[in-house]
Amino acid sequence: MNHTIDTIEYRGCTIHIVSDDDPINPRKEFDHLGKMVCWHGRYNLGDEQPKEDAGEYLCRMAAEVDAGFYKLNDLYDEAIRRGSSRACQRINRRLSKERERVLAEHFVIKPLYLYDHSGITISTGSFSCPWDSGQVGFIYVPLKRMHEEWNSKFPDGHTAQSWADKILVGEVAEYDAYLTGDVVGVIAEDEEGEEIDSCWGFFPDEKGDHDYAVDEFKRTIDRHLNRQAELETQLCCNI
Protein backbone atom coordinates (compact mmCIF):
# COMPACT_ATOMS: atom_id res chain seq x y z
CA MET A 1 0.00 0.00 0.00
CA ASN A 2 1.31 3.44 -0.93
CA HIS A 3 2.32 5.52 2.07
CA THR A 4 2.78 9.27 2.40
CA ILE A 5 6.39 10.45 2.45
CA ASP A 6 5.80 14.20 2.62
CA THR A 7 2.98 16.75 2.49
CA ILE A 8 3.38 20.27 1.11
CA GLU A 9 0.86 23.12 1.39
CA TYR A 10 0.68 25.43 -1.61
CA ARG A 11 -1.84 28.23 -2.25
CA GLY A 12 -4.44 26.59 -0.04
CA CYS A 13 -3.99 23.24 -1.77
CA THR A 14 -2.08 20.16 -0.66
CA ILE A 15 0.60 18.18 -2.48
CA HIS A 16 1.15 14.64 -1.22
CA ILE A 17 4.41 12.82 -2.04
CA VAL A 18 3.67 9.10 -1.76
CA SER A 19 5.62 5.92 -2.34
CA ASP A 20 5.19 4.23 -5.71
CA ASP A 21 4.89 0.61 -4.64
CA ASP A 22 4.73 -0.73 -8.18
CA PRO A 23 7.30 1.28 -10.13
CA ILE A 24 8.29 0.41 -13.67
CA ASN A 25 11.68 -1.18 -14.19
CA PRO A 26 13.71 1.53 -15.96
CA ARG A 27 16.01 -1.02 -17.57
CA LYS A 28 13.01 -2.57 -19.35
CA GLU A 29 10.88 0.50 -20.09
CA PHE A 30 13.34 3.36 -20.74
CA ASP A 31 15.95 3.83 -23.45
CA HIS A 32 19.51 3.89 -22.12
CA LEU A 33 22.96 4.55 -23.45
CA GLY A 34 24.72 1.96 -21.32
CA LYS A 35 24.35 -1.80 -21.20
CA MET A 36 24.14 -3.28 -17.70
CA VAL A 37 25.51 -6.82 -17.46
CA CYS A 38 25.14 -8.74 -14.18
CA TRP A 39 25.87 -12.14 -12.68
CA HIS A 40 23.93 -13.21 -9.58
CA GLY A 41 22.58 -16.52 -8.34
CA ARG A 42 19.32 -15.17 -6.90
CA TYR A 43 18.52 -11.86 -8.58
CA ASN A 44 17.77 -11.11 -12.21
CA LEU A 45 19.57 -7.78 -12.48
CA GLY A 46 20.35 -5.30 -15.23
CA ASP A 47 19.87 -5.77 -18.97
CA GLU A 48 21.66 -9.07 -19.51
CA GLN A 49 22.60 -12.10 -17.38
CA PRO A 50 25.14 -14.02 -19.51
CA LYS A 51 25.82 -17.72 -19.07
CA GLU A 52 29.51 -17.18 -19.80
CA ASP A 53 31.64 -15.75 -17.01
CA ALA A 54 32.73 -12.10 -16.84
CA GLY A 55 36.20 -12.75 -18.23
CA GLU A 56 34.85 -14.59 -21.27
CA TYR A 57 32.26 -11.86 -21.83
CA LEU A 58 34.94 -9.15 -21.76
CA CYS A 59 37.09 -11.15 -24.16
CA ARG A 60 34.16 -11.39 -26.56
CA MET A 61 33.65 -7.63 -26.33
CA ALA A 62 37.31 -7.06 -27.17
CA ALA A 63 37.26 -9.55 -30.04
CA GLU A 64 34.24 -7.82 -31.61
CA VAL A 65 36.11 -4.51 -32.00
CA ASP A 66 39.72 -5.62 -32.56
CA ALA A 67 40.69 -8.22 -35.17
CA GLY A 68 44.14 -8.66 -33.60
CA PHE A 69 42.63 -9.66 -30.29
CA TYR A 70 40.31 -12.07 -32.08
CA LYS A 71 43.33 -13.84 -33.67
CA LEU A 72 45.14 -13.92 -30.33
CA ASN A 73 42.09 -15.50 -28.72
CA ASP A 74 42.08 -18.15 -31.46
CA LEU A 75 45.74 -18.94 -30.66
CA TYR A 76 44.79 -19.45 -27.02
CA ASP A 77 41.96 -21.81 -28.00
CA GLU A 78 44.36 -23.75 -30.24
CA ALA A 79 46.90 -24.06 -27.40
CA ILE A 80 44.15 -25.47 -25.16
CA ARG A 81 43.20 -28.03 -27.82
CA ARG A 82 46.85 -29.12 -28.13
CA GLY A 83 47.19 -29.40 -24.38
CA SER A 84 50.19 -27.04 -24.23
CA SER A 85 50.01 -25.62 -20.72
CA ARG A 86 53.14 -23.48 -21.14
CA ALA A 87 51.79 -21.91 -24.33
CA CYS A 88 48.42 -21.38 -22.65
CA GLN A 89 50.01 -19.52 -19.75
CA ARG A 90 52.09 -17.33 -22.05
CA ILE A 91 49.20 -16.48 -24.38
CA ASN A 92 46.82 -15.97 -21.44
CA ARG A 93 49.11 -13.33 -19.92
CA ARG A 94 49.28 -11.59 -23.27
CA LEU A 95 45.51 -11.91 -23.68
CA SER A 96 44.89 -10.21 -20.33
CA LYS A 97 47.10 -7.24 -21.22
CA GLU A 98 45.62 -6.93 -24.70
CA ARG A 99 42.07 -7.21 -23.40
CA GLU A 100 42.58 -4.32 -20.99
CA ARG A 101 44.15 -2.21 -23.76
CA VAL A 102 41.38 -2.91 -26.27
CA LEU A 103 38.58 -2.34 -23.78
CA ALA A 104 40.05 0.97 -22.57
CA GLU A 105 40.46 2.10 -26.18
CA HIS A 106 36.95 1.23 -27.33
CA PHE A 107 34.66 1.33 -24.27
CA VAL A 108 33.82 3.15 -21.09
CA ILE A 109 33.20 0.47 -18.46
CA LYS A 110 32.21 0.95 -14.83
CA PRO A 111 31.94 -1.83 -12.23
CA LEU A 112 28.68 -2.58 -10.47
CA TYR A 113 28.60 -3.45 -6.77
CA LEU A 114 25.61 -4.88 -4.92
CA TYR A 115 24.88 -4.60 -1.21
CA ASP A 116 22.38 -7.22 -0.06
CA HIS A 117 21.04 -6.77 3.46
CA SER A 118 17.33 -6.27 4.21
CA GLY A 119 16.92 -5.24 0.59
CA ILE A 120 19.40 -4.60 -2.20
CA THR A 121 21.17 -1.48 -3.43
CA ILE A 122 23.51 -1.10 -6.40
CA SER A 123 26.34 1.35 -7.07
CA THR A 124 29.39 1.97 -9.25
CA GLY A 125 31.42 2.32 -6.04
CA SER A 126 32.18 -0.48 -3.60
CA PHE A 127 30.45 -0.77 -0.23
CA SER A 128 32.23 -0.85 3.11
CA CYS A 129 30.76 -4.20 4.20
CA PRO A 130 32.77 -7.10 2.70
CA TRP A 131 30.34 -9.81 3.83
CA ASP A 132 27.08 -8.56 2.30
CA SER A 133 28.47 -6.83 -0.80
CA GLY A 134 30.65 -7.44 -3.82
CA GLN A 135 30.97 -6.81 -7.52
CA VAL A 136 27.98 -8.14 -9.41
CA GLY A 137 28.78 -7.00 -12.95
CA PHE A 138 29.46 -3.86 -14.96
CA ILE A 139 27.84 -1.24 -17.16
CA TYR A 140 29.44 -0.13 -20.40
CA VAL A 141 29.03 1.90 -23.56
CA PRO A 142 31.13 1.81 -26.77
CA LEU A 143 32.97 5.06 -27.40
CA LYS A 144 31.96 4.77 -31.05
CA ARG A 145 28.33 5.12 -30.01
CA MET A 146 29.16 8.17 -27.89
CA HIS A 147 30.64 9.95 -30.89
CA GLU A 148 27.70 8.95 -33.09
CA GLU A 149 25.07 10.10 -30.56
CA TRP A 150 26.69 13.51 -29.92
CA ASN A 151 28.49 14.00 -33.23
CA SER A 152 31.71 14.16 -31.18
CA LYS A 153 30.56 17.43 -29.54
CA PHE A 154 30.10 16.91 -25.81
CA PRO A 155 28.61 19.46 -23.39
CA ASP A 156 30.47 21.52 -20.78
CA GLY A 157 33.91 20.69 -22.11
CA HIS A 158 33.51 16.96 -21.51
CA THR A 159 35.41 14.32 -23.45
CA ALA A 160 33.61 11.26 -24.76
CA GLN A 161 34.97 9.30 -21.80
CA SER A 162 34.00 11.79 -19.10
CA TRP A 163 30.53 12.39 -20.53
CA ALA A 164 29.92 8.65 -20.83
CA ASP A 165 31.09 8.21 -17.24
CA LYS A 166 28.59 10.81 -16.03
CA ILE A 167 25.74 9.20 -17.95
CA LEU A 168 26.52 5.69 -16.74
CA VAL A 169 26.67 6.81 -13.11
CA GLY A 170 23.27 8.46 -13.59
CA GLU A 171 21.78 5.31 -15.12
CA VAL A 172 22.98 3.22 -12.18
CA ALA A 173 21.55 5.76 -9.71
CA GLU A 174 18.22 5.53 -11.53
CA TYR A 175 18.25 1.72 -11.35
CA ASP A 176 19.21 1.88 -7.68
CA ALA A 177 16.17 4.08 -7.01
CA TYR A 178 14.02 1.35 -8.56
CA LEU A 179 15.68 -1.37 -6.47
CA THR A 180 15.48 0.57 -3.20
CA GLY A 181 11.94 1.90 -3.69
CA ASP A 182 12.93 5.55 -4.05
CA VAL A 183 10.29 6.16 -6.74
CA VAL A 184 7.28 8.29 -5.85
CA GLY A 185 3.86 9.41 -6.92
CA VAL A 186 2.43 12.89 -6.45
CA ILE A 187 -1.19 13.78 -5.65
CA ALA A 188 -2.54 17.34 -5.61
CA GLU A 189 -5.75 18.15 -3.73
CA ASP A 190 -7.73 21.37 -3.48
CA GLU A 191 -8.72 23.00 -0.19
CA GLU A 192 -11.79 20.74 -0.02
CA GLY A 193 -9.64 17.61 -0.28
CA GLU A 194 -10.78 16.87 -3.83
CA GLU A 195 -8.09 15.50 -6.13
CA ILE A 196 -6.87 17.94 -8.78
CA ASP A 197 -4.36 15.64 -10.45
CA SER A 198 -1.99 12.75 -9.72
CA CYS A 199 0.92 11.03 -11.40
CA TRP A 200 3.29 8.16 -10.57
CA GLY A 201 6.78 7.02 -11.47
CA PHE A 202 8.93 9.99 -10.44
CA PHE A 203 12.58 8.97 -10.06
CA PRO A 204 15.05 11.11 -8.09
CA ASP A 205 16.93 13.81 -10.01
CA GLU A 206 20.72 14.27 -10.05
CA LYS A 207 20.59 15.74 -6.53
CA GLY A 208 18.75 12.67 -5.28
CA ASP A 209 15.42 14.37 -4.54
CA HIS A 210 12.00 14.82 -6.14
CA ASP A 211 11.76 18.61 -6.08
CA TYR A 212 11.18 18.76 -9.82
CA ALA A 213 7.98 16.70 -9.36
CA VAL A 214 6.76 19.09 -6.65
CA ASP A 215 7.49 22.07 -8.92
CA GLU A 216 5.52 20.42 -11.73
CA PHE A 217 2.51 19.97 -9.48
CA LYS A 218 2.75 23.53 -8.21
CA ARG A 219 2.33 24.61 -11.82
CA THR A 220 -0.64 22.22 -12.08
CA ILE A 221 -2.22 23.90 -9.06
CA ASP A 222 -1.52 27.32 -10.54
CA ARG A 223 -3.35 26.38 -13.74
CA HIS A 224 -6.23 24.89 -11.74
CA LEU A 225 -6.65 27.99 -9.59
CA ASN A 226 -6.34 30.29 -12.60
CA ARG A 227 -9.11 28.38 -14.38
CA GLN A 228 -11.29 28.63 -11.28
CA ALA A 229 -10.70 32.37 -11.08
CA GLU A 230 -11.60 32.77 -14.76
CA LEU A 231 -14.81 30.77 -14.30
CA GLU A 232 -15.78 32.86 -11.26
CA THR A 233 -15.15 36.05 -13.24
CA GLN A 234 -17.31 34.79 -16.10
CA LEU A 235 -20.13 33.89 -13.70
CA CYS A 236 -20.00 37.32 -12.11
CA CYS A 237 -20.16 38.99 -15.51
CA ASN A 238 -23.17 36.89 -16.51
CA ILE A 239 -25.19 37.73 -13.39
Side-chain angles (χ1 to χ4, degrees):
M1 182 176 180
N2 306 109
H3 64 275
T4 301
I5 298 171
D6 196 10
T7 300
I8 299 162
E9 300 299 325
Y10 179 71
R11 296 186 63 183
C13 300
T14 306
I15 300 173
H16 299 283
I17 311 297
V18 299
S19 63
D20 187 339
D21 293 343
D22 188 26
I24 60 174
N25 183 341
R27 302 310 300 184
K28 296 183 181 298
E29 301 296 334
F30 300 161
D31 290 329
H32 292 95
L33 191 71
K35 187 170 186 177
M36 193 177 287
V37 187
C38 297
W39 289 261
H40 200 283
R42 290 184 293 124
Y43 302 120
N44 187 3
L45 300 167
D47 304 321
E48 185 179 357
Q49 304 79 39
K51 293 183 179 179
E52 59 193 331
D53 65 33
E56 291 171 333
Y57 189 95
L58 289 168
C59 281
R60 181 160 57 84
M61 284 172 57
E64 287 175 354
V65 296
D66 189 288
F69 185 87
Y70 183 83
K71 292 178 182 178
L72 187 61
N73 199 50
D74 282 348
L75 287 176
Y76 180 69
D77 291 340
E78 179 62 26
I80 292 176
R81 283 193 293 271
R82 291 183 178 182
S84 175
S85 60
R86 183 173 297 179
C88 281
Q89 291 174 1
R90 184 178 66 254
I91 298 172
N92 190 42
R93 287 193 296 269
R94 187 178 168 193
L95 264 175
S96 297
K97 291 181 180 178
E98 280 298 293
R99 186 183 72 184
E100 296 307 310
R101 180 193 65 79
V102 172
L103 293 176
E105 184 177 327
H106 292 275
F107 300 91
V108 172
I109 304 174
K110 298 192 71 64
L112 294 173
Y113 298 92
L114 191 76
Y115 179 65
D116 186 356
H117 186 79
S118 300
I120 58 176
T121 180
I122 198 166
S123 173
T124 56
S126 60
F127 297 95
S128 58
C129 178
W131 296 280
D132 295 324
S133 67
Q135 186 170 353
V136 72
F138 52 87
I139 185 171
Y140 72 93
V141 61
L143 284 169
K144 180 180 179 181
R145 184 178 177 190
M146 291 296 300
H147 287 285
E148 290 173 349
E149 293 282 343
W150 275 271
N151 197 26
S152 299
K153 297 176 182 178
F154 304 100
D156 303 325
H158 280 281
T159 63
Q161 288 86 348
S162 65
W163 189 237
D165 189 89
K166 179 180 175 65
I167 291 172
L168 295 181
V169 168
E171 289 188 10
V172 175
E174 176 191 71
Y175 189 51
D176 182 58
Y178 164 75
L179 294 177
T180 58
D182 192 17
V183 185
V184 303
V186 183
I187 303 170
E189 296 176 345
D190 63 19
E191 58 185 4
E192 303 298 328
E194 295 293 326
E195 184 176 308
I196 298 170
D197 197 4
S198 63
C199 190
W200 306 86
F202 289 101
F203 285 77
D205 61 16
E206 290 184 356
K207 297 180 292 183
D209 58 41
H210 303 89
D211 290 349
Y212 73 98
V214 175
D215 291 340
E216 181 177 324
F217 270 75
K218 285 182 177 179
R219 290 190 289 271
T220 297
I221 290 172
D222 288 338
R223 289 192 294 269
H224 171 76
L225 294 178
N226 289 340
R227 284 196 299 269
Q228 278 193 328
E230 290 173 1
L231 288 173
E232 289 175 2
T233 300
Q234 291 174 5
L235 287 172
C236 290
C237 291
N238 292 330
I239 293 176

